[in-house]
Amino acid sequence: IFSLNFTQSDPSTFILMGIPGMEDVHIWISIPYSTSYIFCLLGNFMVLFVVSKEETLQKPMYLLICMLALTDITKSSTIVPKALCIFWFNLKGITMGGCLTQIFFIHSVNFVQSGVLMLMAIDRYVAICNPLRYPTILTNARVVTLGLACLVRALLFMVPLPLTLSRLQPFCANRIIPHTYCDHMAVAKMSCGDITVNRMYGLVIVFIVLGFDLTLIALSYGLIIRAVLRIPSRKAHQKALNTCTAHICVMLMAYPIFLFSTLTYRFGQGIAPYVHIILANLYYLLLPMLNPIVYGVKTKELRDKMRKYICGMSSTGASDSEPL
């Protein structure tokens, strides 16, 4: 009651409800939330640490894995702390500025990550189809430049989004957002004005950016499959395709959930709200936690180096605990 009264007296504040219909179990939901977040941070920071320490890993493929780790850390950190405040302390208020900032970072990071996945597909294409020219085509400097280009692309596409939302003020709904974070369309639907521009812009940028990235990914893998089929040795087939396994797993986890979550919020009126919210949170929680595991398991060189540091820390801890 206090939160609702506060919201009505302060027109610059929204209320995030968490997961509607499941308020009684918010404290239990916070357990997998916080656990996933901790493992996400540990796994991704471990990847960044190992690659930065090992000169043999400072190659284009591992730089791209580091970019993916940075997007995972940023993505989950934009969502989880506020959600835990809702679950643990019932702190549901968020200012208009805070809401727009959260929307900007959420969508920007999503587009940067899509760009990184696209660059990973190109990296695999060059490594398999042009192995002799790989060191000259994809240098570390070129990969960093392409990564920055993905960042600039995301920022340019996302700057108009909070601006179009801010022009919808004043909002005439009750300023209650049935979600764990500020979603673009959830905020837009609270306006009593015309939200056609917001609805169309959100869909157009999703299809332009993701459509471009998925087209290049499909083209890269089409060329990879064609090149692999030309290799007479079955063992060589398997070795070539194994280098793509981790990337394929990450894409199969990321794109379907993101697209389903984005489209159901606009067109899935028959889907229960908590289903959409749980799916959206899986994208921001489960995937950032699983990505370093997938690359740690499927990439032998990275796996070996991570095992070396983990075993080294374990042995150090054991020796420190021995009595004098």
Side-chain angles (χ1 to χ4, degrees), residues 39-56:
F39 278 111
C40 161
L41 294 180
L42 288 175
N44 285 293
F45 275 120
M46 185 67 182
V47 169
L48 293 173
F49 173 77
V50 171
V51 174
S52 67
K53 287 290 185 181
E54 294 290 333
E55 289 188 11
T56 57

Side-chain angles (χ1 to χ4, degrees), residues 5-23:
N5 288 340
F6 176 77
T7 303
Q8 290 167 355
S9 63
D10 186 354
S12 66
T13 304
F14 295 102
I15 293 294
L16 291 168
M17 294 305 296
I19 304 179
M22 304 183 74
E23 289 86 353

Side-chain angles (χ1 to χ4, degrees), residues 297-315:
V297 170
K298 293 293 184 180
T299 311
K300 184 180 183 302
E301 197 173 358
L302 179 60
R303 180 177 70 240
D304 292 342
K305 297 298 183 183
M306 290 180 72
R307 185 183 295 146
K308 183 185 82 171
Y309 280 97
I310 292 170
C311 293
M313 287 187 286
S314 300
S315 60

Side-chain angles (χ1 to χ4, degrees), residues 36-182:
S36 299
Y37 185 52
I38 290 169
F39 278 111
C40 161
L41 294 180
L42 288 175
N44 285 293
F45 275 120
M46 185 67 182
V47 169
L48 293 173
F49 173 77
V50 171
V51 174
S52 67
K53 287 290 185 181
E54 294 290 333
E55 289 188 11
T56 57
L57 295 182
Q58 291 170 16
K59 296 184 281 192
M61 183 176 76
Y62 297 105
L63 291 180
L64 290 169
I65 292 174
C66 286
M67 291 180 194
L68 188 68
L70 286 172
T71 61
D72 282 335
I73 292 167
T74 307
K75 182 164 63 175
S76 57
S77 297
T78 305
I79 300 290
V80 178
K82 180 58 183 175
L84 291 177
C85 287
I86 297 169
F87 296 153
W88 288 343
F89 311 113
N90 206 36
L91 296 174
K92 300 179 177 180
I94 185 169
T95 63
M96 178 66 177
C99 205
L100 294 179
T101 301
Q102 194 177 47
I103 290 169
F104 177 78
F105 275 100
I106 288 170
H107 293 289
S108 296
V109 173
N110 284 336
F111 288 159
V112 172
Q113 188 168 76
S114 178
V116 172
L117 290 174
M118 178 261 293
L119 293 178
M120 285 179 160
I122 295 173
D123 171 79
R124 293 299 83 206
Y125 158 72
V126 177
I128 293 171
C129 299
N130 293 285
L132 297 179
R133 296 180 59 202
Y134 179 83
T136 55
I137 294 175
L138 282 180
T139 61
N140 286 352
R142 190 164 292 168
V143 167
V144 171
T145 302
L146 290 171
L148 290 174
C150 290
L151 175 62
V152 171
R153 180 190 69 168
L155 296 179
L156 290 176
F157 272 108
M158 291 315 305
V159 164
L161 203 62
L163 296 178
T164 57
L165 280 175
S166 62
R167 75 174 178 83
L168 295 176
Q169 299 186 72
F171 294 94
C172 40
N174 54 13
R175 293 181 173 268
I176 294 176
I177 301 175
H179 217 309
T180 54
Y181 59 87
C182 288

